[in-house]
Short mmCIF file of all heavy atoms in Angstrom, two decimals:
data_model
loop_
_atom_site.label_atom_id
_atom_site.label_comp_id
_atom_site.label_asym_id
_atom_site.label_seq_id
_atom_site.Cartn_x
_atom_site.Cartn_y
_atom_site.Cartn_z
N LEU A 109 -228.55 222.25 9.17
CA LEU A 109 -229.44 221.69 8.31
C LEU A 109 -229.75 222.26 7.09
O LEU A 109 -229.86 221.69 6.02
CB LEU A 109 -230.70 221.34 9.15
CG LEU A 109 -230.64 220.42 10.38
CD1 LEU A 109 -231.94 220.36 11.22
CD2 LEU A 109 -230.23 218.99 9.84
N ASN A 110 -229.92 223.60 7.08
CA ASN A 110 -230.20 224.43 6.07
C ASN A 110 -228.98 224.37 4.89
O ASN A 110 -229.15 224.06 3.77
CB ASN A 110 -230.35 225.94 6.32
CG ASN A 110 -231.75 226.16 7.03
OD1 ASN A 110 -232.61 225.30 6.92
ND2 ASN A 110 -231.81 227.25 7.75
N ILE A 111 -227.81 224.51 5.39
CA ILE A 111 -226.67 224.35 4.56
C ILE A 111 -226.38 222.97 4.01
O ILE A 111 -226.33 222.80 2.77
CB ILE A 111 -225.30 224.73 5.35
CG1 ILE A 111 -225.41 226.32 5.67
CG2 ILE A 111 -224.05 224.44 4.39
CD1 ILE A 111 -224.35 226.69 6.70
N LYS A 112 -226.62 221.98 4.78
CA LYS A 112 -226.65 220.54 4.26
C LYS A 112 -227.59 220.32 3.24
O LYS A 112 -227.38 219.72 2.20
CB LYS A 112 -226.59 219.56 5.45
CG LYS A 112 -225.32 219.60 6.32
CD LYS A 112 -225.36 218.59 7.48
CE LYS A 112 -225.20 217.20 6.89
NZ LYS A 112 -225.08 216.22 7.96
N ASN A 113 -228.79 220.74 3.47
CA ASN A 113 -230.00 220.65 2.62
C ASN A 113 -229.67 221.28 1.32
O ASN A 113 -230.07 220.74 0.24
CB ASN A 113 -231.30 221.23 3.20
CG ASN A 113 -232.44 220.91 2.45
OD1 ASN A 113 -232.70 219.75 2.01
ND2 ASN A 113 -233.21 221.80 2.20
N GLN A 114 -229.11 222.45 1.23
CA GLN A 114 -228.85 223.20 0.15
C GLN A 114 -227.63 222.46 -0.82
O GLN A 114 -227.64 222.73 -1.99
CB GLN A 114 -228.51 224.56 0.38
CG GLN A 114 -229.70 225.42 0.92
CD GLN A 114 -229.42 226.83 1.18
OE1 GLN A 114 -228.80 227.54 0.43
NE2 GLN A 114 -229.71 227.25 2.45
N LEU A 115 -226.77 221.83 -0.09
CA LEU A 115 -225.51 221.32 -0.70
C LEU A 115 -225.43 219.85 -0.86
O LEU A 115 -224.61 219.32 -1.49
CB LEU A 115 -224.29 221.81 0.03
CG LEU A 115 -224.06 223.20 0.09
CD1 LEU A 115 -222.88 223.69 0.84
CD2 LEU A 115 -223.66 223.76 -1.34
N HIS A 116 -226.53 219.05 -0.40
CA HIS A 116 -226.41 217.63 -0.31
C HIS A 116 -226.27 217.03 -1.85
O HIS A 116 -225.74 215.97 -1.90
CB HIS A 116 -227.75 217.04 0.35
CG HIS A 116 -228.83 217.00 -0.47
ND1 HIS A 116 -229.78 218.02 -0.61
CD2 HIS A 116 -229.47 215.99 -1.21
CE1 HIS A 116 -230.81 217.79 -1.37
NE2 HIS A 116 -230.58 216.51 -1.80
N SER A 117 -226.83 217.70 -2.80
CA SER A 117 -226.67 217.16 -4.16
C SER A 117 -225.53 217.82 -5.07
O SER A 117 -225.45 217.44 -6.23
CB SER A 117 -228.13 217.20 -4.95
OG SER A 117 -228.44 218.63 -4.93
N HIS A 118 -224.76 218.66 -4.32
CA HIS A 118 -223.70 219.22 -5.13
C HIS A 118 -222.61 218.18 -5.50
O HIS A 118 -222.42 217.26 -4.70
CB HIS A 118 -222.96 220.23 -4.17
CG HIS A 118 -222.00 221.15 -4.89
ND1 HIS A 118 -220.71 220.75 -5.25
CD2 HIS A 118 -222.21 222.52 -5.26
CE1 HIS A 118 -220.15 221.84 -5.81
NE2 HIS A 118 -221.02 222.78 -5.92
N SER A 119 -222.04 218.36 -6.67
CA SER A 119 -221.28 217.30 -7.23
C SER A 119 -219.92 217.07 -6.42
O SER A 119 -219.39 216.01 -6.45
CB SER A 119 -220.89 217.61 -8.69
OG SER A 119 -220.26 218.83 -8.74
N LEU A 120 -219.51 218.14 -5.73
CA LEU A 120 -218.30 217.99 -4.84
C LEU A 120 -218.50 217.52 -3.41
O LEU A 120 -217.61 217.18 -2.71
CB LEU A 120 -217.52 219.33 -4.93
CG LEU A 120 -217.02 219.73 -6.35
CD1 LEU A 120 -216.15 221.02 -6.19
CD2 LEU A 120 -216.02 218.67 -6.94
N TYR A 121 -219.74 217.49 -3.02
CA TYR A 121 -220.15 217.11 -1.74
C TYR A 121 -219.73 215.63 -1.50
O TYR A 121 -220.14 214.78 -2.40
CB TYR A 121 -221.64 217.38 -1.33
CG TYR A 121 -221.97 217.19 0.15
CD1 TYR A 121 -221.20 217.62 1.13
CD2 TYR A 121 -223.14 216.54 0.37
CE1 TYR A 121 -221.57 217.41 2.51
CE2 TYR A 121 -223.55 216.28 1.67
CZ TYR A 121 -222.80 216.71 2.70
OH TYR A 121 -223.15 216.63 4.04
N ARG A 122 -219.01 215.30 -0.42
CA ARG A 122 -218.68 213.93 -0.13
C ARG A 122 -217.36 213.50 -0.98
O ARG A 122 -217.02 212.42 -0.94
CB ARG A 122 -219.68 212.90 -0.15
CG ARG A 122 -220.68 213.09 0.94
CD ARG A 122 -221.83 211.96 0.81
NE ARG A 122 -223.08 212.49 1.24
CZ ARG A 122 -224.01 213.11 0.38
NH1 ARG A 122 -223.74 213.28 -0.96
NH2 ARG A 122 -225.16 213.60 0.85
N LYS A 123 -216.91 214.41 -1.83
CA LYS A 123 -215.69 214.17 -2.73
C LYS A 123 -214.64 215.11 -2.27
O LYS A 123 -213.48 214.72 -2.09
CB LYS A 123 -216.07 214.32 -4.19
CG LYS A 123 -216.97 213.10 -4.59
CD LYS A 123 -217.37 213.29 -6.05
CE LYS A 123 -218.27 212.17 -6.54
NZ LYS A 123 -219.62 212.39 -6.19
N SER A 124 -214.87 216.38 -2.39
CA SER A 124 -214.03 217.51 -2.01
C SER A 124 -214.31 218.08 -0.67
O SER A 124 -213.38 218.86 -0.05
CB SER A 124 -213.91 218.46 -3.23
OG SER A 124 -213.45 217.91 -4.34
N PHE A 125 -215.50 218.24 -0.37
CA PHE A 125 -215.87 218.87 1.02
C PHE A 125 -216.96 217.87 1.59
O PHE A 125 -217.64 217.16 0.94
CB PHE A 125 -216.43 220.28 0.93
CG PHE A 125 -217.62 220.47 0.18
CD1 PHE A 125 -218.89 220.61 0.99
CD2 PHE A 125 -217.96 220.63 -1.12
CE1 PHE A 125 -220.08 220.77 0.40
CE2 PHE A 125 -219.07 220.70 -1.88
CZ PHE A 125 -220.19 220.86 -0.98
N PHE A 126 -217.04 217.96 2.97
CA PHE A 126 -217.79 216.99 3.73
C PHE A 126 -218.63 217.71 4.76
O PHE A 126 -218.34 218.80 5.12
CB PHE A 126 -216.87 216.00 4.24
CG PHE A 126 -215.94 215.21 3.35
CD1 PHE A 126 -214.79 215.79 2.99
CD2 PHE A 126 -216.41 214.14 2.76
CE1 PHE A 126 -213.92 215.20 2.03
CE2 PHE A 126 -215.57 213.40 1.78
CZ PHE A 126 -214.42 213.96 1.42
N SER A 127 -219.51 216.95 5.35
CA SER A 127 -220.33 217.47 6.42
C SER A 127 -219.48 218.02 7.66
O SER A 127 -219.94 218.92 8.24
CB SER A 127 -221.47 216.50 6.97
OG SER A 127 -220.86 215.41 7.43
N VAL A 128 -218.34 217.29 7.81
CA VAL A 128 -217.56 217.78 8.99
C VAL A 128 -217.23 219.27 8.76
O VAL A 128 -217.13 220.03 9.74
CB VAL A 128 -216.41 216.88 9.19
CG1 VAL A 128 -215.31 216.97 7.99
CG2 VAL A 128 -215.69 217.12 10.51
N GLU A 129 -216.93 219.64 7.54
CA GLU A 129 -216.62 221.13 7.38
C GLU A 129 -217.79 222.05 7.64
O GLU A 129 -217.75 223.10 8.11
CB GLU A 129 -216.18 221.34 5.87
CG GLU A 129 -214.67 221.04 5.73
CD GLU A 129 -214.35 219.76 4.87
OE1 GLU A 129 -215.36 219.23 4.25
OE2 GLU A 129 -213.25 219.39 4.90
N ILE A 130 -218.97 221.56 7.29
CA ILE A 130 -220.21 222.36 7.54
C ILE A 130 -220.24 222.56 9.12
O ILE A 130 -220.50 223.59 9.51
CB ILE A 130 -221.47 221.76 7.05
CG1 ILE A 130 -221.29 221.65 5.49
CG2 ILE A 130 -222.64 222.42 7.43
CD1 ILE A 130 -222.42 220.90 4.78
N TYR A 131 -220.19 221.43 9.79
CA TYR A 131 -220.13 221.58 11.37
C TYR A 131 -219.11 222.47 11.84
O TYR A 131 -219.37 223.29 12.69
CB TYR A 131 -220.06 220.23 11.95
CG TYR A 131 -221.29 219.36 11.89
CD1 TYR A 131 -221.53 218.54 10.71
CD2 TYR A 131 -222.13 219.27 12.90
CE1 TYR A 131 -222.69 217.71 10.72
CE2 TYR A 131 -223.30 218.52 12.81
CZ TYR A 131 -223.59 217.71 11.78
OH TYR A 131 -224.67 216.92 11.78
N ASP A 132 -217.93 222.35 11.36
CA ASP A 132 -216.84 223.23 11.87
C ASP A 132 -217.09 224.66 11.49
O ASP A 132 -216.90 225.38 12.40
CB ASP A 132 -215.57 222.65 11.09
CG ASP A 132 -214.24 223.53 11.50
OD1 ASP A 132 -214.19 224.02 12.66
OD2 ASP A 132 -213.34 223.56 10.74
N ALA A 133 -217.49 224.88 10.30
CA ALA A 133 -217.86 226.26 9.94
C ALA A 133 -218.92 226.91 10.80
O ALA A 133 -218.78 228.01 11.39
CB ALA A 133 -218.31 226.36 8.54
N VAL A 134 -220.00 226.16 11.03
CA VAL A 134 -221.15 226.67 11.87
C VAL A 134 -220.76 226.74 13.28
O VAL A 134 -220.95 227.77 14.03
CB VAL A 134 -222.38 225.90 11.58
CG1 VAL A 134 -223.46 226.17 12.59
CG2 VAL A 134 -222.77 225.95 10.21
N LEU A 135 -220.14 225.66 13.92
CA LEU A 135 -219.94 225.55 15.33
C LEU A 135 -218.83 226.48 15.78
O LEU A 135 -218.74 226.92 16.76
CB LEU A 135 -219.78 224.12 15.76
CG LEU A 135 -221.06 223.42 15.55
CD1 LEU A 135 -220.78 221.86 15.96
CD2 LEU A 135 -222.26 223.91 16.29
N ASN A 136 -217.71 226.58 14.90
CA ASN A 136 -216.54 227.20 15.32
C ASN A 136 -216.41 228.61 14.78
O ASN A 136 -215.67 229.41 15.30
CB ASN A 136 -215.42 226.42 15.06
CG ASN A 136 -215.47 225.06 15.91
OD1 ASN A 136 -215.72 224.98 16.94
ND2 ASN A 136 -214.99 223.99 15.16
N ASP A 137 -217.02 228.90 13.63
CA ASP A 137 -216.84 230.07 12.99
C ASP A 137 -218.04 230.89 12.75
O ASP A 137 -218.19 231.86 11.98
CB ASP A 137 -216.03 229.98 11.66
CG ASP A 137 -214.58 229.52 11.91
OD1 ASP A 137 -214.02 230.07 12.86
OD2 ASP A 137 -214.06 228.71 11.18
N ASN A 138 -219.17 230.46 13.38
CA ASN A 138 -220.44 231.10 13.25
C ASN A 138 -221.03 231.31 11.90
O ASN A 138 -221.65 232.34 11.62
CB ASN A 138 -220.45 232.45 14.19
CG ASN A 138 -220.00 232.13 15.63
OD1 ASN A 138 -220.86 231.23 16.22
ND2 ASN A 138 -219.14 232.82 16.07
N ILE A 139 -220.72 230.38 10.92
CA ILE A 139 -221.28 230.48 9.59
C ILE A 139 -222.85 230.23 9.68
O ILE A 139 -223.16 229.18 10.36
CB ILE A 139 -220.53 229.53 8.67
CG1 ILE A 139 -219.09 229.99 8.60
CG2 ILE A 139 -221.23 229.52 7.38
CD1 ILE A 139 -218.79 231.40 8.16
N THR A 140 -223.61 230.96 8.99
CA THR A 140 -225.13 230.78 9.04
C THR A 140 -225.74 230.49 7.70
O THR A 140 -227.02 230.22 7.71
CB THR A 140 -225.71 231.96 9.73
OG1 THR A 140 -225.52 233.12 9.10
CG2 THR A 140 -225.33 232.19 11.24
N SER A 141 -225.07 230.62 6.66
CA SER A 141 -225.68 230.49 5.24
C SER A 141 -224.86 229.74 4.34
O SER A 141 -223.64 229.63 4.53
CB SER A 141 -226.01 231.89 4.71
OG SER A 141 -224.84 232.50 4.36
N LYS A 142 -225.52 229.16 3.31
CA LYS A 142 -224.73 228.57 2.28
C LYS A 142 -223.60 229.52 1.69
O LYS A 142 -222.61 229.09 1.35
CB LYS A 142 -225.69 228.09 1.16
CG LYS A 142 -225.01 227.48 -0.04
CD LYS A 142 -226.16 227.18 -1.08
CE LYS A 142 -225.48 226.89 -2.45
NZ LYS A 142 -225.66 228.01 -3.38
N GLU A 143 -224.03 230.73 1.40
CA GLU A 143 -223.23 231.75 0.77
C GLU A 143 -221.92 231.93 1.71
O GLU A 143 -220.89 231.97 1.23
CB GLU A 143 -223.77 233.00 0.43
CG GLU A 143 -224.89 232.87 -0.55
CD GLU A 143 -226.18 232.18 -0.12
OE1 GLU A 143 -226.52 232.17 1.12
OE2 GLU A 143 -227.02 231.77 -0.95
N GLN A 144 -222.14 232.18 3.04
CA GLN A 144 -221.09 232.33 3.97
C GLN A 144 -220.23 231.03 3.93
O GLN A 144 -218.88 231.08 4.05
CB GLN A 144 -221.62 232.53 5.34
CG GLN A 144 -222.18 233.88 5.51
CD GLN A 144 -222.76 234.04 6.92
OE1 GLN A 144 -223.01 233.15 7.64
NE2 GLN A 144 -222.72 235.30 7.32
N PHE A 145 -220.87 229.83 3.88
CA PHE A 145 -220.07 228.58 3.96
C PHE A 145 -219.18 228.51 2.66
O PHE A 145 -218.05 228.07 2.73
CB PHE A 145 -221.00 227.45 4.02
CG PHE A 145 -220.16 226.08 3.91
CD1 PHE A 145 -219.46 225.64 5.04
CD2 PHE A 145 -220.35 225.22 2.84
CE1 PHE A 145 -218.74 224.50 4.92
CE2 PHE A 145 -219.57 224.04 2.67
CZ PHE A 145 -218.75 223.68 3.76
N GLU A 146 -219.75 228.85 1.48
CA GLU A 146 -218.92 228.86 0.28
C GLU A 146 -217.60 229.61 0.31
O GLU A 146 -216.59 229.28 -0.02
CB GLU A 146 -219.71 229.26 -0.84
CG GLU A 146 -220.79 228.29 -1.31
CD GLU A 146 -221.77 228.73 -2.37
OE1 GLU A 146 -221.84 229.93 -2.74
OE2 GLU A 146 -222.38 227.90 -2.88
N LYS A 147 -217.79 230.85 0.96
CA LYS A 147 -216.58 231.72 1.15
C LYS A 147 -215.61 231.08 2.21
O LYS A 147 -214.41 231.25 2.08
CB LYS A 147 -217.14 233.16 1.68
CG LYS A 147 -217.80 233.81 0.66
CD LYS A 147 -218.30 235.34 1.21
CE LYS A 147 -219.11 236.05 0.24
NZ LYS A 147 -219.83 237.29 0.73
N TRP A 148 -216.24 230.59 3.29
CA TRP A 148 -215.49 230.01 4.33
C TRP A 148 -214.65 228.70 3.76
O TRP A 148 -213.39 228.66 3.94
CB TRP A 148 -216.41 229.45 5.43
CG TRP A 148 -215.73 228.71 6.62
CD1 TRP A 148 -215.29 229.36 7.75
CD2 TRP A 148 -215.46 227.37 6.62
NE1 TRP A 148 -214.82 228.41 8.61
CE2 TRP A 148 -214.83 227.13 8.01
CE3 TRP A 148 -215.54 226.21 5.88
CZ2 TRP A 148 -214.39 225.88 8.38
CZ3 TRP A 148 -215.14 225.03 6.26
CH2 TRP A 148 -214.55 224.99 7.50
N LEU A 149 -215.29 227.97 2.90
CA LEU A 149 -214.64 226.82 2.29
C LEU A 149 -213.49 227.39 1.31
O LEU A 149 -212.47 226.74 1.26
CB LEU A 149 -215.58 225.95 1.56
CG LEU A 149 -215.32 224.62 1.05
CD1 LEU A 149 -214.95 223.81 2.33
CD2 LEU A 149 -216.38 224.01 0.44
N TYR A 150 -213.73 228.40 0.71
CA TYR A 150 -212.58 228.90 -0.10
C TYR A 150 -211.45 229.36 0.66
O TYR A 150 -210.22 229.05 0.32
CB TYR A 150 -213.07 229.90 -1.13
CG TYR A 150 -212.14 230.54 -2.05
CD1 TYR A 150 -211.76 229.77 -3.10
CD2 TYR A 150 -211.44 231.80 -1.84
CE1 TYR A 150 -210.76 230.18 -4.06
CE2 TYR A 150 -210.50 232.22 -2.65
CZ TYR A 150 -210.12 231.52 -3.79
OH TYR A 150 -209.16 231.86 -4.64
N ILE A 151 -211.79 230.15 1.71
CA ILE A 151 -210.63 230.65 2.51
C ILE A 151 -209.94 229.48 3.20
O ILE A 151 -208.61 229.45 3.31
CB ILE A 151 -211.21 231.63 3.60
CG1 ILE A 151 -211.73 232.85 2.91
CG2 ILE A 151 -210.19 232.00 4.70
CD1 ILE A 151 -212.59 233.86 3.76
#
């Protein structure tokens, strides 16, 4: 919820990255913050 809340208005959200990636990052790779998610998404 925190990551989605911080990124919901990002211009690339729902175009280049999606909520499914947030779920994947948190549930499978233990990502806990927006900053970690940004690194995860890049990798």
Side-chain angles (χ1 to χ4, degrees):
L109 293 173
N110 287 340
I111 294 168
K112 288 179 81 171
N113 187 49
Q114 292 175 52
L115 293 173
H116 79 276
S117 61
H118 193 285
S119 63
L120 295 177
Y121 188 46
R122 293 180 215 87
K123 293 179 181 79
S124 298
F125 72 95
F126 304 87
S127 60
V128 68
E129 277 112 9
I130 297 172
Y131 282 88
D132 184 25
V134 172
L135 297 177
N136 297 319
D137 292 323
N138 299 310
I139 298 303
T140 60
S141 70
K142 174 184 166 258
E143 294 75 23
Q144 289 178 336
F145 177 72
E146 288 172 345
K147 290 178 188 175
W148 181 94
L149 196 57
Y150 183 73
I151 291 167

